[in-house]
Amino acid sequence: MGQFALTRREAILAGAGTALTGGVLSGCAAETSPSLDLEDPAVRARVRAKVSGSAAEETVYRFYRLHLYAYMNDGNLIPLFTMNNLNVTQCSPLEDNQYAFKVFECGVYCKFDTDEVLESWENPITGEVREPWTFLGGPLNVKMGADGVETPPEATVHPDTLRMETYGGMVFVPVASHFSYPSPFDPEEWPKESPGRTHYWDSLFVHAAKLEDVANPDIDNAPAFCQFQNLVSWGPWVGMGGHAGRSYGRAYGTKLASLDELPPAARRSLELKAPKIFDVENWTEYHDYIEEYKDTYGS
C-alpha cells in the first residue's frame, strides 16, 4: 500500500483526504467510527478505485475460485468444473477524479472444487468428452470514476452503477452488468458450440473492504473480499449447442499483496496453462478467447 504523497496526486485527489474521514454518515466521533462522505464525487471515485483496485499507480492482483454449474431451466444446478481465475490490474490515477485500470485475466479449468487441471472433460449432460479451452482475456483498458465504470466494447462486463454502501463496519462496492449480442457461433455451422442466435451475459459483482481501511487517507489499496455470480450462454468448448439453459458461475476471492500469496496448487495450474499472466509486461497482443477458439477449430 502506497503512502498518500504530496505530489501531482494532491491535485488529483484535492479534498478527498479530509472528506474520507468526514463523519457525514455517522453520528459517532471520527476517531472511534470512521465514515465517508459519499456525496462528494472525489470521495466516491477514490473509494471505488481503492476497493476495486488501487487509487495509486501500482499493480493489483485478484484471485478467484469460480465454480461453474449447468442450469437447464429446470431442476437443480449441475456441477461442471472449477476455474482458477487470476486478474492482474495496472492502476493509475488520472485527472478529474478518474482512474485508469489496465486489466489482464486468465482462467484455468479444473475438476470441480479441486486444483486438478482438466486435460479432457466428460460433459455430464451429453456424455461427450471435450477438450477444455484455457481462458485468456485482455488487456482491457477500463476507466473508473465517481459514478461508475467505463469498459470498452469488447469487454464481457458493461456495468450499471449501483450505490456504494457502508454498514457493519464494511464498505460495499457492487456492480451489475446485463447485456447480449449476436452469437459469434452460427448454429448451423457450429451445432455443438453455438448457444443459439443470441449470446447472453449477466454478471453481479461486489467488492467489500473494512471501513477503517477505506476511510484511512494513507491507504491507497484497501484489502478487499471479492465475489461475483454470472449467468452466461453456453461457452463453445463445453459442447452444449441445442440444449436450453446457461452456465451459472459463483466466484469468491480476494486481492493479493503479491503473487506469492497465490495458493500453491492454484499457482501450479496457472503456470501450466496460462504462464503469460506472470509476465504481463510482455503481454502486448489482445486476447479474445471466443475469436481464438473460432480461429483454432474453424474450417
Side-chain angles (χ1 to χ4, degrees):
M1 300 177 222
Q3 293 297 310
F4 194 71
L6 296 178
T7 62
R8 181 178 70 88
R9 291 174 49 235
E10 183 181 18
I12 296 172
L13 303 173
T18 54
L20 280 168
T21 54
V24 301
L25 296 183
S26 171
C28 302
E31 65 269 22
T32 59
S33 181
S35 56
L36 301 170
D37 181 4
L38 295 179
E39 297 299 316
D40 185 333
V43 173
R44 288 203 308 278
R46 181 166 164 80
V47 168
R48 193 179 300 278
K50 72 188 292 186
V51 174
S52 298
S54 175
E57 189 160 333
E58 64 175 305
T59 297
V60 175
Y61 307 96
R62 289 200 306 271
F63 175 72
Y64 295 94
R65 300 280 193 195
L66 170 58
H67 299 311
L68 288 139
Y69 304 79
Y71 177 62
M72 307 298 293
N73 292 345
D74 191 16
N76 293 117
L77 297 172
I78 301 169
L80 299 177
F81 33 68
T82 290
M83 175 191 278
N84 286 335
N85 177 264
L86 180 61
N87 177 298
V88 178
T89 301
Q90 295 173 337
C91 306
S92 301
L94 304 173
E95 303 293 338
D96 300 323
N97 301 316
Q98 298 282 314
Y99 298 85
F101 284 12
K102 187 174 184 179
V103 182
F104 305 81
E105 191 175 10
C106 74
V108 174
Y109 292 99
C110 299
K111 183 178 178 181
F112 188 82
D113 199 26
T114 77
D115 293 296
E116 182 183 332
V117 174
L118 289 175
E119 300 294 346
S120 64
W121 172 74
E122 183 175 343
N123 186 317
I125 295 145
T126 67
E128 183 182 16
V129 175
R130 306 284 295 185
E131 181 182 354
W133 183 255
T134 298
F135 167 70
L136 291 176
L140 291 172
N141 291 300
V142 176
K143 186 180 289 186
M144 186 171 294
D147 297 317
V149 181
E150 297 177 23
T151 58
E154 64 269 23
T156 56
V157 175
H158 297 279
D160 298 321
T161 300
L162 298 176
R163 59 177 173 161
M164 290 184 283
E165 294 188 273
T166 62
Y167 49 88
M170 301 291 291
V171 179
F172 297 92
V173 181
V175 171
S177 172
H178 314 284
F179 78 109
S180 61
Y181 55 93
S183 173
F185 294 94
D186 180 88
E188 282 72 39
E189 184 180 357
W190 301 85
K192 291 184 178 180
E193 290 80 7
S194 177
R197 297 291 178 188
T198 303
H199 196 100
Y200 297 96
W201 198 302
D202 295 89
S203 298
L204 304 168
F205 289 78
V206 65
H207 297 161
K210 291 181 179 179
L211 176 58
E212 63 188 81
D213 291 333
V214 180
N216 185 340
D218 293 328
I219 294 177
D220 294 313
N221 176 358
F225 170 75
C226 307
Q227 191 267 355
F228 70 85
Q229 299 95 30
N230 56 34
L231 191 64
V232 183
S233 295
W234 305 119
W237 76 263
V238 298
M240 286 291 286
H243 291 267
R246 297 195 210 176
S247 67
Y248 170 80
R250 174 178 178 267
Y252 46 86
T254 187
K255 290 183 191 176
L256 307 176
S258 74
L259 290 174
D260 291 338
E261 290 190 347
L262 272 171
R267 179 166 188 145
R268 287 192 293 271
S269 74
L270 295 163
E271 290 174 337
L272 177 66
K273 292 294 185 178
K276 70 187 310 173
I277 196 67
F278 298 98
D279 186 22
V280 297
E281 295 303 327
N282 291 310
W283 178 339
T284 56
E285 74 277 25
Y286 175 73
H287 281 281
D288 181 322
Y289 83 103
I290 290 288
E291 291 303 319
E292 289 172 352
Y293 186 96
K294 287 183 71 175
D295 290 344
T296 301
Y297 291 100
S299 56

